[in-house]
Structure formats: structure tokens, C-alpha cells
Amino acid sequence: MSKAVVGGVMETGLDDGLCFDQLEVGSSMSIVVMVCRSWDSDNVHGRYISTDYIFSDRNGDSIHATARSNVAHYFVDKLKEGCLYLLKNFTVVKNRPAYRILKDSQYMIELQGSTVFKKVSVDHGGFERYPFQIVQFEDLEVTNNKYFVDVIGYVTTADNVSTTSTGRRMLEFNLRNERGGHMAVTLWGKLGESFIAQKAKKAGVYTVILSSMTVKQYLGSLGLSSSSATLIIDSNNIPLLESFNASLRGVDLRAETQPARDGPHAVTTIAELLQSARQDKKKAVVFRNSIQITGIRTKNSWFNFTCTGGRCRKGVTRKDGSFWCEACDNAVYFPRARYRLMVDVKDMTGNVVVVLFDEAGEQLVKKSAKTLLDEQEQSTNSDDMVLPEALRCLIGGTYLFELRSHTYYQYGEYESFNCAQVLLPGSANIASPSSVDEILDPAAVPALSSPVKKAPQIGVVTPDKRAEKRSSNLDCTGTDSEGVPGKAQHGLSVDVRSGSDVGSEVNVVPEKRLKKVTGGEAHDPVEGTSQLIMDSLSEKEDDVDGKDSGGDSVAGTVGKKRRAYIVDSDDGE
């Protein structure tokens, strides 16, 4: 076989090299491929990890190829879509067990720093320029992140990008097919803005292929969700789109295509929500009503320090003297304080714990967690050191919460839901009784087929009771009976204040105020880096949950001696 380089392009015959069906793990021969499409892949935290390609061979078969971030610069902007290349010195590996781009491919190609490629000039016959693995709506099933699917359809309306309670941007719309079927689609991040921009360039009905989508079940219905490998493909030159457009002739395309998931079943009492969640937490049930806050649990504090890298919001721990995010496997130099409020709530049908993370916490408190920490540091009120006044004032109040059954968590006698949002009076889809008393009226609650577990009754302590101050330096060296190091760390000292009514409270004093309060020296210039955990010294633990799931409540039983120790926060949202 003879080869010649003409103008930087190698001319070769199709008898050169392998085809994909001849590949085996460890294959090292040459192969001629067409670059069909390419994209950059990120991990779940938004960090760039690789540049990926779909190649086709002279038999029209396809394979997924990847170039890791440390070698991708050899190939980015050099391997052009629609062009043919002769590849050498690549690695053949088994296809991934999860996040497969091509579901049924046995192998994939890894491009290495030693991989050699050369553009070739041959007949394009046999190479598939636009390979897709289209799955019809009727055949979709939950992918469980094992593989991706490609879908095709049309859209008439998709104009509004929204922000979730966790701060992620998303675009929701319905994708329809020529048979009248529809599927809810969610595009995350910048992909939503790109979709709107591309759709605006097309007049009339917008037909599109969405590649590498995941299929998930949400509130009882299947839906499509984008991945970092998803591409929006709408070129009129693609034969598959041309044939799809032809199939739409005679189809009524005027129907709106806003998301149309089946709405969740609505309940108005805690008892109904608990009953449904205990039976089947995957069933779509939503609670929107007024409930009373009876206490705020402080055993695991009311906030977390979290990672600030990319989209990561996981709690940080300590490693080698620095904050550390296990999810990102990186040091975190500027952690962010976020709410993690665990509140006891009730109506006349039952009690439960509601967990409010950062966005819901800000809706309830009207302040950020950082603002409350700053106010706590400046305060001279002993009560503020355990729970800021802005949080204590919530106890006894009645608020409109939205809770969803799929966030149900149970451990022993402990049961909780995450708060989706704190609603304002007059919001849509909120039960509107004439008064709060009507909400709490047991006569208005339908009888349940099974009894509801009653959470322990929690008394309310008036927050303005002041304690007599008694300062002491605790000898926290060594290890306590539970094997937790007792030595105070991170420039924090302990100040115990007690009174006949409220027992003893343990206050963590930031390093800036050490000398002012205790006259001691600061040992570690890290301020406010730990969570306070209060643990009963009595023979019977004062644990509302019974399994260390929720902790002591500010409005709970008090009057027992307590000790304090400082531990690093490692909880995430």
C-alpha cells in the first residue's frame, strides 16, 4: 500500500486499518474515522474533565471516544466535525458501566498524549455523518444514570428560564412527536439559554434533536433531563430532521407545549402527608398549608459551612489544618455559611420535623445565614450564642410551608421532610382557611386508616428569660466518655451560663471576642469554623429523636447539666 501527503492531507485507500467491530481491548492498529460530533464534559460540580467525540467508521458503525483534560489540548479544534482522520496509538477500553454515551457499544476509545492523527482524503461513502440512537417516547424508561438517550421532537413554546430553590438555572418545556405524544424536558444551566437563542433563529415550529439525555421519574411521571454531554441539534441539513419535518405535515401543531406533568396530589394536614409518605414516598404528594413552629433543634447547629467550588454545596470538614470538601477533593479557603434549620412543627393532626436549607431558610428568616452569624458575633445576649434572636422569634409563629412527600426521611421514631419553599399569604395553590384555628381544628381533619405516630410534645420557653451569668473555663482536655476529643479548637472557648429556669446553656465564643469574654489567648486564627453539639450528662439522654437524628430543641425540656465539645461540620445539603 502506498501513501502520499498532498498539501498536508494524506491520501489513503479504505483498505487501511480496522473497523470498530474488529476492535478489542489493547488494539493498537490504525483506523480511519469520521468525526461526527464533539463536546466538552463536566463532572457534577461543573469542573471540566474531558473532551468527547462520536466517531463513525466506513461500515457506518459508531463509537464514543474521549480525551481527558490533561491531553485534550492535543485534539481540541484540530479534530474537525465532518472530516476523516487516520488514528494511531489510541487505547481501546471497555465501555463505561455508567453514563454510557452509546448504550449498546461494547468498547470505547481513549485518546492519549501519544495518539497520532492525520487528516485523510478518501471517499466518504459508508461513513455515517449524523449517527443517533433515537428512542421513541413510548419506549423511554428510567436510565438510572447508566446510559443516555437521544430524542427528537418539536417545540412551540419555551421562553422562560427559571431558578430552582438550590440556585440552579433551568428551562422546562414539553417536547412533542408526530403521534401526539409529549415528554417533559428540563435543560440545566447555560443549555437553557442556548436553546432559547437557537429557537429564536427559527421561524414557526422548532424541530430539534436532543442528544445524551437522561430519563428520570419525578412526581410520578417520566421526564427528560440534560447532561453535560447534551447537544441541541437543529440543522436543516440533517436527514433525520428532514424526515421528521415531513412526518409533521397534517399534524395540528398549535397546541401549547409548556410542561404538562401530572400535578401532585395535594394534602392539607401533617397526618395525611405522613400517612402517604410512609406508604409510598415516591407517590407525588404535596403539602401546602400553615403550621406552627414549636421548637428549633440546636444539637447539630442551625447552619453548615459549605463548599463554594462550582455548583458544589456540600458541607466541609477539616483536613491538614484547612477546610476540605470531600466531594470536590479540594481545600476550601472561603467556605460559605448556609442554613440547615431543623424545626419542630405541628398542627392538630400530628408533629414532624421540617428541615430548611439555605433558600427556604432565607425565605423564612428574611436574612442570610452569614448575616445572622455576624449579628451573633456582635451580640452580648447570652441566648444569642446558642440561637440568634431572629431564629428564637420564630418559635410559636405560624407559617405557610410547602412540603413534598419524596423528601420524607425516617430513622427510628424520627421523621422529617425538607421544606421546598416558605410561601407568602395569597400565593397560588395554598389552602385558605378563614383562620389558623380552622387549620388546627381536629374536626376538620378526615379520619385516617392507621394511627399517626405522635412526636414528643415540646414545650415553648419564652425567649426573654435571662440567665444569671457564671463564667468558667472548662477543662476539655483528653477524651470524653463517647470517645470525642474534648479539647477546644479553632480559636473558640466555652462560656457556661446557668439559671434556675433555663438550666445551663453552652455558648461558643468566636476568637475575636476571646480576650474580651475570657481573657484567654487565641490558639487558632479560625473564626466560627465549628458546630456546637450539646450532649446531656444525665443518665437518660434528653434526645427527642431517640437515635441522635434531630438533637435538642431550644423549646425542649431543659434544666439538666450539659457539657459541650467542638467538632468539625461535615454535613451537606
Side-chain angles (χ1 to χ4, degrees):
M1 178 202 67
S2 62
K3 299 178 182 177
V5 177
V6 180
V9 177
M10 179 181 293
E11 295 182 348
T12 181
L14 280 176
D15 57 339
D16 296 299
L18 301 172
C19 289
F20 296 154
D21 58 2
Q22 298 172 284
L23 292 179
E24 295 180 355
V25 173
S27 298
S28 59
M29 296 180 66
S30 63
I31 187 170
V32 177
V33 301
M34 173 179 282
V35 179
C36 303
R37 61 181 185 266
S38 62
W39 66 92
D40 293 334
S41 295
D42 301 332
N43 64 13
V44 293
H45 306 298
R47 181 182 301 171
Y48 168 69
I49 56 175
S50 65
T51 294
D52 294 77
Y53 301 87
I54 296 295
F55 292 158
S56 70
D57 66 7
R58 62 191 181 189
N59 292 335
D61 296 329
S62 303
I63 198 169
H64 172 210
T66 184
R68 296 180 182 178
S69 58
N70 59 331
V71 298
H73 57 278
Y74 291 120
F75 310 98
V76 173
D77 297 329
K78 297 173 185 176
L79 292 178
K80 305 288 186 179
E81 293 184 10
C83 296
L84 297 176
Y85 296 88
L86 180 67
L87 293 182
K88 291 183 179 180
N89 302 333
F90 54 85
T91 302
V92 179
V93 296
K94 288 187 176 180
N95 204 353
R96 298 166 177 169
Y99 301 104
R100 289 188 173 203
I101 300 297
L102 301 177
K103 175 184 176 182
D104 299 322
S105 290
Q106 185 177 1
Y107 302 111
M108 60 182 293
I109 289 176
E110 287 188 355
L111 302 177
Q112 310 291 340
S114 58
T115 299
V116 177
F117 62 94
K118 192 74 173 180
K119 189 174 182 180
V120 298
S121 176
V122 297
D123 182 7
H124 284 45
F127 292 91
E128 178 63 49
R129 174 66 180 88
Y130 300 104
F132 297 102
Q133 295 187 343
I134 298 295
V135 180
Q136 300 300 326
F137 293 171
E138 298 83 357
D139 299 326
L140 289 173
E141 56 185 10
V142 176
T143 58
N144 294 317
N145 293 328
K146 292 182 179 180
Y147 59 90
F148 297 116
V149 299
D150 302 333
V151 292
I152 187 171
Y154 71 90
V155 180
T156 58
T157 305
D159 299 324
N160 298 316
V161 174
S162 58
T163 303
T164 68
S165 60
T166 59
R168 295 187 67 188
R169 302 277 287 170
M170 69 175 184
L171 174 67
E172 291 186 299
F173 57 89
N174 263 12
L175 188 69
R176 294 183 178 271
N177 62 19
E178 72 280 13
R179 296 177 299 279
H182 63 85
M183 185 64 60
V185 175
T186 304
L187 300 182
W188 296 98
K190 295 181 180 179
L191 204 61
E193 283 88 351
S194 297
F195 186 90
I196 292 176
Q198 289 183 223
K199 179 179 177 298
K201 299 176 183 178
K202 304 280 187 177
V205 175
Y206 184 52
T207 56
V208 65
I209 296 172
L210 299 175
S211 67
S212 302
M213 301 287 287
T214 62
V215 184
K216 298 182 178 181
Q217 190 166 36
Y218 177 70
L219 296 179
S221 300
L222 287 180
L224 293 162
S225 181
S226 66
S227 67
S228 65
T230 296
L231 295 176
I232 302 166
I233 302 167
D234 59 4
S235 173
N236 294 328
N237 298 324
I238 297 177
L240 186 59
L241 276 175
E242 289 180 351
S243 61
F244 179 77
N245 287 329
S247 69
L248 295 179
R249 294 169 186 168
V251 178
D252 184 7
L253 305 179
R254 295 172 296 177
E256 289 294 320
T257 55
Q258 289 291 347
R261 291 190 179 98
D262 294 333
H265 174 65
V267 298
T268 58
T269 66
I270 290 176
E272 292 174 305
L273 182 65
L274 282 170
Q275 185 183 45
S276 177
R278 289 167 183 161
Q279 293 174 352
D280 183 7
K281 66 178 292 184
K282 294 183 179 180
K283 182 181 178 181
V285 176
V286 63
F287 169 95
R288 296 187 185 98
N289 215 335
S290 295
I291 44 182
Q292 186 181 49
I293 295 178
T294 59
I296 299 179
R297 303 192 178 203
T298 59
K299 183 173 183 178
N300 291 325
S301 190
W302 53 270
F303 71 95
N304 281 342
F305 280 109
T306 62
C307 179
T308 54
R311 295 195 300 266
C312 183
R313 301 162 66 87
K314 298 292 185 180
V316 296
T317 183
R318 297 281 289 177
K319 182 177 180 180
D320 299 330
S322 301
F323 287 112
W324 190 267
C325 177
E326 296 290 351
C328 296
D329 197 27
N330 270 332
V332 180
Y333 299 104
F334 302 99
R336 175 180 171 179
R338 297 181 187 271
Y339 282 113
R340 189 179 184 274
L341 287 171
M342 302 178 67
V343 301
D344 291 279
V345 300
K346 73 173 185 178
D347 63 10
M348 288 300 290
T349 69
N351 301 349
V352 78
V353 175
V354 173
V355 182
L356 297 93
F357 291 106
D358 204 43
E359 289 72 20
E362 288 188 5
Q363 290 172 350
L364 179 65
V365 184
K366 310 300 183 187
K367 294 180 180 180
S368 68
K370 181 181 183 302
T371 299
L372 257 62
L373 283 174
D374 292 340
E375 293 178 356
Q376 188 179 44
E377 180 183 341
Q378 300 299 325
S379 175
T380 58
N381 187 337
S382 62
D383 294 331
D384 288 345
M385 300 310 298
V386 173
L387 198 66
E389 181 180 4
L391 299 181
R392 297 200 311 274
C393 290
L394 300 175
I395 300 174
T398 301
Y399 304 90
L400 292 166
F401 282 3
E402 178 180 312
L403 313 176
R404 293 182 178 267
S405 58
H406 71 278
T407 65
Y408 174 71
Y409 175 79
Q410 181 267 336
Y411 186 86
E413 295 296 316
Y414 174 84
E415 296 178 288
S416 71
F417 294 92
N418 293 349
C419 180
Q421 59 179 328
V422 180
L423 300 161
L424 297 175
S427 299
N429 300 320
I430 298 176
S432 301
S434 57
S435 67
V436 172
D437 293 335
E438 182 179 332
I439 298 171
L440 306 180
D441 182 6
V445 179
L448 300 177
S449 58
S450 60
V452 177
K453 293 181 182 179
K454 297 288 186 179
Q457 296 297 321
I458 300 175
V460 177
V461 177
T462 53
D464 59 344
K465 289 185 179 181
R466 301 299 301 273
E468 296 178 6
K469 181 175 180 181
R470 176 172 58 85
S471 296
S472 64
N473 294 323
L474 299 185
D475 183 9
C476 295
T477 58
T479 304
D480 65 13
S481 60
E482 296 178 309
V484 180
K487 185 176 180 180
Q489 299 176 357
H490 313 315
L492 301 175
S493 70
V494 178
D495 180 25
V496 177
R497 308 169 189 228
S498 63
S500 58
D501 290 333
V502 296
S504 61
E505 299 172 357
V506 185
N507 300 318
V508 180
V509 185
E511 183 246 350
K512 285 184 178 180
R513 298 173 55 203
L514 273 172
K515 294 183 180 180
K516 177 180 177 182
V517 177
T518 65
E521 291 185 1
H523 300 288
D524 187 343
V526 179
E527 176 183 340
T529 61
S530 302
Q531 293 186 0
L532 173 64
I533 294 183
M534 297 190 297
D535 185 51
S536 175
L537 283 179
S538 61
E539 294 181 359
K540 294 183 179 180
E541 293 291 329
D542 181 21
D543 190 347
V544 177
D545 306 328
K547 288 290 183 180
D548 193 25
S549 300
D552 303 315
S553 171
V554 166
T557 305
V558 294
K560 298 180 181 179
K561 293 182 180 180
R562 300 184 185 275
R563 70 173 176 269
Y565 49 84
I566 306 301
V567 299
D568 292 326
S569 166
D570 59 358
D571 292 332
E573 294 188 12

